[in-house]
Amino acid sequence: MFSDSNEFLRIAQGKGLKCLPGKVGHVGYKNSKDTVLKTFVDWFAMSKASEIYRIKGTHLYNSAFPLYASLIGNKPYIEIDLNNYE
């Protein structure tokens, strides 16, 4: 499981989902080398998945991160828009 939210990952891990350890951060902001390295490891790992999903919605960050991972890995990219489920 990958996310740009440390809180989301904490909850996912509590439900038994596998997440790479480390603090999530954005490369464009001032972060530690470990945080930036985790970002690239997450991106590489996502590119190796069989499919890559992006969940989008009104209050969620509009990230192209999963799309780029799917392009790098040449993997199917699926968007789920929560606004269609209200």
Side-chain angles (χ1 to χ4, degrees):
M1 175 70 60
F2 301 95
S3 175
D4 62 353
S5 166
N6 289 302
E7 179 67 9
F8 180 86
L9 291 175
R10 184 188 65 74
I11 293 168
Q13 286 174 322
K15 296 192 178 287
L17 296 169
K18 293 184 181 181
C19 305
L20 294 176
K23 183 180 175 211
V24 172
H26 294 269
V27 176
Y29 303 127
K30 186 174 183 172
N31 284 302
S32 70
K33 288 181 183 179
D34 286 344
T35 300
V36 173
L37 181 59
K38 178 185 172 23
T39 301
F40 284 105
V41 170
D42 283 358
W43 202 19
F44 177 76
M46 286 172 64
S47 76
K48 298 298 183 183
S50 57
E51 297 177 330
I52 299 172
Y53 291 82
R54 176 176 173 250
I55 300 172
K56 61 189 261 185
T58 304
H59 301 290
L60 300 176
Y61 183 75
N62 187 17
S63 173
F65 197 79
L67 173 61
Y68 294 145
S70 74
L71 293 172
I72 289 169
N74 194 29
K75 302 296 171 49
Y77 173 74
I78 299 118
E79 278 192 347
I80 298 171
D81 189 344
L82 297 179
N83 296 322
N84 293 333
Y85 294 98
E86 294 180 28

